[in-house]
Amino acid sequence: MERYEPLKIEQKWQKKWEETEAFKATEVKGQPKVMLAEMFPYPSGAGLHVGHVRNFTIVDVLTRFFRQQGLNVMRPFGYDTFGLPAENYAIKTGTAPQEVTAVNITNFRKQAKKLGYAIDWSREINTSDPEYYRWTQWCFLQLFKKGLAYQKESYQWWCPEDQTVLANEQVENGKCWRCGHEVEKKKMKQWFFKITEYADELLDEIDNLEWPEKIKTMQKNWIGKSVGAEIDFEVEGGAPKIKVFTTRPDTILGATFLVLAPEYVGLEYIVSEDCKDAVAKYKAAALKKSEIERQENKEKTGVFTGAYAINPATKEKIPIYVADYVLAGYGTGAIMAVPAYDERDREFAEKLDLPIVEAELIDRDAYGTPKVTYRMRDWLISRQRYWGCPIPIAYDKDGNPHAISEDQLPVMLPEVKDYKPDKSGRSALAKAKDWLTVEIPVKDPKTGEVHMKKMTRETDTLDGYACSSWYLWRYASPRDDKAAWDEKAISYWEPLDYYCGGDHAVAHLLYIRFWCKFFADEGYLPFREPIKRLLYNGYINAPDGKKMSKSKGNVIDPLDVINDGYGADTLRTYEMFIGPYDMDAAWDTRSVGGVYRFLNRCYNLCFGNTSKVDKNVVVRNKTIKKVTEDIHRYSFNTAVAALMEYVNELYKNGASKEDLMVLAKLLKPFAPHLASEMLEKLDSDDEWPKWDEKYLVADTVELVVQVNGKLRAKFEIEVDDLEDEEKLTEMVLADERVKKYTEKGVKKTIFVKKNKLINIVV
Ligand code: ANZ
């Protein structure tokens, strides 16, 4: 008999699948479909890591399972390629991100193929491909036309040393990641998507999704709907009124001071002359803190503005403070402080020795206009970075933004040599002088005539999340050059049935829902929720339980596992066996060996002698049922465990051809190469087997009987009978096999239920 040689078998089947385009998906009217996808990866230079393998294999197990059940299945693949890592690499090395990305994609594809995924490779997409981002730009323009992409001043991290804007992740402890200089916030005009327009719908429809509860809760908290009121406070000396947002208008009698965010618009009209310096100093310090820091439960700080407001309920004069625990972007950026009822206000009052008044509660509507507020803000999408999708906008000489016309798309990302943003805070696109000027058709509002007008292009690029907010729809018709997605194809395949990932609970998963609702409203999509079911997988940690990281030197490279001779089937099966899919798990090299031995046993059983008698019909049917139901409830680890038990039984009793066919079919989603090899040997198709209930009526267990400690007989009994000691003892003592050892008379019987054992002492 030949030996199990995974690498040989895997190469053979991968070649076959490639040549026959085995996983190409086409619409078949009337045939039920399933579409599955993982959150597409960023193709880093390091290649696939064990986390990718877990994520992709979950999708693949389901893909193959549904294929074997006769459904029309689509499992596409793509790459999320724009973003900072490639750009940072480009800045450091001067290599074009386009080049690096192409190399990394080639490597990722090669590695994914080595894992034997049932991917329809004709549907591969890449967000930095002009044929793709042309349609990202089209999407932007639709939002722009409807006023849902707009510009507004906003604070950005700014490094005064490098003279450049920084992304959040480039700020480390308040310092620039590159030069270490302290960063500050600078006000700049930025582009936003108006996601808040859909806040209510995004919130209301969460409960209908088949998503993990924890993700649903995170989205709800992120949207953060608050029902409260706005109340106006007059300011002494004639400065404009201060509007506060409160969820507790009924506590107004206890409002003993007001607090404004340091960025409060109009602060300068409120602050008195002698407090100006102190306030300015405080504001400068506050701008250096992130919002997260400001919300942390640290000691409260703040300064007096020198001004007073009138509490409309008590008519009392109350002082106005500035403090960074009040955020500029929430509510109105101003609060009435009620230290008797609000914890943060109490801390602040105690620190600054301000009055705390336990006043009675009054009617909520007495002074307040009802107001609903959301924690979610509009989505800031402009980046002063090179490696992103160019925003299809140009400015006239007065600085007004105009849409690039759709037939001028894509706005190609220009080639430059130096990828660093320049000193004006603009991205490296500003250095492409030839590219900057463009002529676009503009309609004269009076005559209606269209003229070509010279304009200057936008040099900001889009946040990468914009590129990933519609990619699932591109999968329906990835080579379409007439539209972002084809109406017919998308109504057949989508919404997506299964989506798997372990990140982006609120960002990506909220943005894609927002775009879906918008494009449904525009008539481009026939559904309002893009993802039916979400599987949120856990992380794989190093053997010591710590996060894998290059610096700790504890990274396991999945390709090493394959190339060490274990093969992809072992790697895949192991990563499904490692634990419940949604829990973090630590890598265990010994257990990899265990899975490898299990696959060897499968191979040896199949290529060894088969038994002519069918002794395993009960366990076979039970295994079919268990594996089927386990995969349906995503319990992949217990499905693999059931297969291992099944193989143990087959070893004990001998395996019939039927037993082996079932084994190979059930194994195929996990170890597709080996299973294909087995099915070929058995001359069998891979149709998912069905179980016959008649073999599963009662659950039975084995009862062991000893006489004076020696094993004398075994009984197959129903599980429920373990509860009836008398009945069991009676049955055992009456059995011929036992009787011949107990003729001298039974002294006593000992029943150990836990071990399913009866010991008879004679
Ligand atoms: C008076 C009051 C009394 C408040 C009381 C609460 C309890 P949620 O529920 O999260 O929406 N607030 C309003 N705007 C704020 C801002 N920009 N930054 C920080 N805090 C702000 O919280 C709403 C409450 O948070 C509001 O109601 C306000 O304090 C504060 F017993 O007003 B409350």
Side-chain angles (χ1 to χ4, degrees):
M1 189 179 77
E2 290 197 36
R3 228 159 36 85
Y4 172 43
E5 288 183 79
L7 299 192
K8 215 168 108 187
I9 293 176
E10 289 172 10
Q11 234 176 26
K12 164 181 161 185
W13 287 99
Q14 283 164 19
K15 193 161 162 251
K16 201 164 216 158
W17 294 332
E18 175 119 38
E19 281 167 5
T20 56
E21 297 189 304
F23 309 112
K24 201 173 162 100
T26 39
E27 293 101 74
V28 182
K29 239 191 165 166
Q31 190 190 1
K33 66 88 191 182
V34 185
M35 177 176 166
L36 313 96
E38 58 278 293
M39 291 180 186
F40 66 164
Y42 166 73
S44 77
L48 288 190
H49 58 68
V50 289
H52 289 122
V53 174
R54 187 181 210 188
N55 181 215
F56 300 173
T57 306
I58 291 169
V59 177
D60 210 58
V61 167
L62 291 171
T63 298
R64 290 179 174 275
F65 174 66
F66 291 128
R67 286 180 65 90
Q68 287 179 257
Q69 293 191 324
L71 294 161
N72 193 14
V73 182
M74 191 231 281
R75 183 228 200 298
F77 200 70
Y79 309 96
D80 188 16
T81 47
F82 275 137
L84 275 180
E87 174 167 323
N88 290 343
Y89 186 79
I91 291 172
K92 254 188 231 152
T93 63
T95 330
Q98 286 85 340
E99 266 172 55
V100 180
T101 301
V103 170
N104 291 352
I105 285 183
T106 306
N107 185 40
F108 254 66
R109 186 190 299 121
K110 210 171 84 198
Q111 297 193 336
K113 286 191 177 174
K114 270 204 148 176
L115 275 139
Y117 293 133
I119 289 169
D120 176 353
W121 287 104
S122 72
R123 290 181 192 263
E124 198 186 41
I125 58 175
N126 159 17
T127 55
S128 63
D129 179 348
E131 279 311 304
Y132 180 91
Y133 69 64
R134 167 184 180 185
W135 299 110
T136 304
Q137 292 170 343
W138 177 86
C139 289
F140 174 93
L141 289 179
Q142 308 316 305
L143 285 149
F144 178 68
K145 273 194 237 161
K146 287 290 146 94
L148 294 184
Y150 69 95
Q151 283 180 299
K152 150 179 112 177
E153 294 265 352
S154 147
Y155 282 97
Q156 291 302 296
W157 290 118
W158 174 260
C159 173
E161 176 71 21
D162 285 354
Q163 295 274 310
T164 164
V165 245
L166 297 171
N168 270 327
E169 52 272 41
Q170 294 179 323
V171 178
E172 292 157 4
N173 299 323
K175 302 211 166 73
C176 171
W177 69 299
R178 220 167 326 120
C179 68
H181 198 282
E182 269 192 43
V183 297
E184 50 194 55
K185 284 264 180 83
K186 192 174 160 178
K187 226 176 188 182
M188 297 174 75
K189 213 173 204 182
Q190 301 288 319
W191 285 96
F192 290 83
F193 284 146
K194 208 170 186 178
I195 187 172
T196 51
E197 184 111 339
Y198 284 90
D200 270 320
E201 197 191 331
L202 286 167
L203 190 66
D204 294 344
E205 283 179 13
I206 289 178
D207 282 324
N208 307 329
L209 299 172
E210 283 181 56
W211 289 19
E213 281 309 317
K214 80 169 176 199
I215 309 297
K216 294 200 211 177
T217 307
M218 281 166 85
Q219 292 214 344
K220 281 182 196 166
N221 293 341
W222 182 265
I223 297 169
K225 183 172 180 170
S226 267
V227 179
E230 281 181 350
I231 304 176
D232 284 337
F233 284 72
E234 302 278 352
V235 179
E236 257 199 352
K241 276 187 236 168
I242 294 173
K243 197 185 274 304
V244 306
F245 172 71
T246 174
T247 45
R248 296 293 308 277
D250 53 332
T251 64
I252 190 165
L253 292 179
T256 50
F257 55 99
L258 296 188
V259 188
L260 309 178
E263 306 90 335
Y264 184 81
V265 181
L267 184 62
E268 62 271 31
Y269 306 116
I270 293 164
V271 181
S272 74
E273 205 47 48
D274 50 333
C275 291
K276 267 202 171 112
D277 288 349
V279 171
K281 209 171 133 205
Y282 183 79
K283 177 173 171 174
L287 288 185
K288 291 198 172 131
K289 293 192 195 168
S290 72
E291 269 197 11
I292 297 172
E293 264 177 276
R294 283 167 57 167
Q295 283 169 288
E296 273 168 8
N297 222 352
K298 289 213 193 101
E299 216 177 317
K300 300 273 172 299
T301 60
V303 285
F304 182 42
T305 61
Y308 293 86
I310 306 298
N311 180 326
T314 63
K315 306 286 182 244
E316 269 170 41
K317 204 171 117 172
I318 57 173
I320 305 171
Y321 281 79
V322 169
D324 65 9
Y325 77 94
V326 175
L327 304 175
Y330 187 65
T332 59
I335 66 158
M336 63 174 203
V338 190
Y341 289 96
D342 185 281
E343 190 52 38
R344 294 165 302 174
D345 297 344
R346 174 186 287 275
E347 281 169 28
F348 189 79
E350 281 171 354
K351 178 97 187 286
L352 281 89
D353 219 3
L354 294 162
I356 301 172
V357 177
E358 302 235 3
E360 57 183 293
L361 302 177
I362 59 161
D363 177 22
R364 284 179 67 91
D365 298 326
Y367 298 92
T369 323
K371 172 83 182 171
V372 175
T373 306
Y374 300 88
R375 195 152 290 279
M376 181 170 68
R377 320 279 170 77
D378 279 343
W379 167 18
L380 194 165
I381 44 148
S382 44
R383 299 283 180 274
Q384 292 72 43
R385 321 291 331 173
Y386 173 72
W387 189 232
C389 171
I391 295 178
I393 289 286
Y395 298 92
D396 59 28
K397 55 182 189 324
D398 300 322
N400 301 312
H402 295 261
I404 301 286
S405 79
E406 286 179 20
D407 56 18
Q408 289 177 310
L409 301 183
V411 175
M412 291 289 286
L413 189 59
E415 283 176 26
V416 298
K417 287 210 174 62
D418 176 8
Y419 302 94
K420 264 210 312 258
D422 72 13
K423 300 215 184 279
S424 66
R426 291 162 87 200
S427 78
L429 274 64
K431 294 175 192 163
K433 293 281 177 283
D434 298 341
W435 173 87
L436 267 185
T437 320
V438 58
E439 286 204 341
I440 60 173
V442 180
K443 206 167 164 181
D444 188 302
K446 280 185 211 128
T447 64
E449 277 175 54
V450 176
H451 295 287
M452 294 306 278
K453 279 244 169 78
K454 248 204 184 118
M455 302 208 185
T456 310
R457 289 189 191 274
E458 171 64 84
T459 56
D460 284 356
T461 55
L462 280 175
D463 176 13
Y465 280 122
C467 310
S468 57
S469 287
W470 69 281
Y471 82 105
L472 293 175
W473 312 325
R474 187 65 181 165
Y475 281 145
S477 54
R479 306 287 168 259
D480 196 337
D481 61 0
K482 304 274 176 317
W485 52 84
D486 177 72
E487 242 181 80
K488 253 173 70 194
I490 207 158
S491 14
Y492 179 79
W493 289 114
E494 308 203 23
L496 183 68
D497 298 280
Y498 294 87
Y499 197 34
C500 182
D503 201 358
H504 312 298
V506 280
H508 165 59
L509 286 171
L510 200 58
Y511 298 152
I512 197 170
R513 293 183 60 220
F514 156 46
W515 279 36
C516 182
K517 292 176 191 312
F518 169 73
F519 284 106
D521 280 342
E522 294 302 297
Y524 288 109
L525 286 178
F527 44 84
R528 300 191 74 80
E529 283 291 343
I531 300 154
K532 274 199 202 155
R533 296 176 198 84
L534 175 72
L535 280 75
Y536 209 71
N537 63 269
Y539 282 59
I540 293 186
N541 294 322
D544 56 6
K546 295 202 180 90
K547 232 182 120 183
M548 285 191 197
S549 83
K550 250 196 209 152
S551 61
K552 286 195 216 114
N554 60 1
V555 176
I556 304 263
D557 186 336
L559 271 296
D560 285 348
V561 179
I562 297 181
N563 296 329
D564 282 352
Y566 285 119
D569 282 339
T570 291
L571 176 60
R572 295 168 53 117
T573 310
Y574 169 66
E575 289 212 21
M576 293 299 94
F577 185 57
I578 196 166
Y581 86 94
D582 53 352
M583 307 258 284
D584 292 354
W587 189 269
D588 176 6
T589 306
R590 277 206 1 237
S591 181
V592 177
V595 170
Y596 179 66
R597 281 191 295 282
F598 159 63
L599 295 185
N600 260 289
R601 280 158 76 84
C602 295
Y603 181 91
N604 293 341
L605 268 179
C606 184
F607 287 85
N609 298 326
T610 46
S611 151
K612 296 275 172 299
V613 261
D614 198 12
K615 288 187 216 155
N616 301 303
V617 57
V618 171
V619 63
R620 186 171 70 231
N621 278 278
K622 268 191 194 158
T623 307
I624 298 173
K625 180 167 194 251
K626 171 122 182 86
V627 173
T628 309
E629 290 178 349
D630 282 357
I631 295 181
H632 267 302
R633 58 188 185 96
Y634 320 132
S635 186
F636 308 112
N637 59 321
T638 55
V640 174
L643 286 170
M644 289 173 169
E645 279 173 40
Y646 178 53
V647 165
N648 288 343
E649 285 300 307
L650 300 190
Y651 257 85
K652 257 195 280 175
N653 306 334
S656 68
K657 188 173 175 199
E658 181 65 23
D659 292 334
L660 293 171
M661 268 161 46
V662 165
L663 173 62
K665 289 175 178 187
L666 298 182
L667 187 64
K668 196 171 178 194
F670 302 93
H673 312 86
L674 170 59
S676 300
E677 190 74 11
M678 288 165 67
L679 289 166
E680 187 181 61
K681 159 86 186 341
L682 298 164
D683 195 19
S684 164
D685 60 30
D686 69 354
E687 192 187 331
W688 196 258
K690 293 190 175 64
W691 69 89
D692 189 336
E693 281 291 342
K694 84 170 176 241
Y695 296 109
L696 310 174
V697 241
D699 247 350
T700 59
V701 288
E702 195 172 70
L703 178 77
V704 171
V705 178
Q706 299 179 334
V707 180
N708 284 352
K710 276 210 181 100
L711 175 72
R712 294 303 184 194
K714 284 179 184 172
F715 294 82
E716 203 179 341
I717 60 160
E718 291 188 5
V719 177
D720 294 346
D721 286 345
L722 279 178
E723 303 309 315
D724 195 342
E725 185 181 348
E726 234 182 75
K727 180 178 159 188
L728 283 182
T729 315
E730 204 176 298
M731 175 192 81
V732 164
L733 291 175
D735 190 276
E736 284 308 318
R737 290 173 295 170
V738 178
K739 253 189 183 165
K740 62 182 178 198
Y741 297 103
T742 57
E743 276 158 1
K744 289 187 195 130
V746 174
K747 257 198 203 143
K748 63 174 176 183
T749 60
I750 306 156
F751 175 50
V752 192
K753 186 164 129 192
K754 185 176 77 185
N755 298 348
K756 296 169 222 113
L757 173 136
I758 295 183
N759 192 15
I760 304 164
V761 184
V762 294

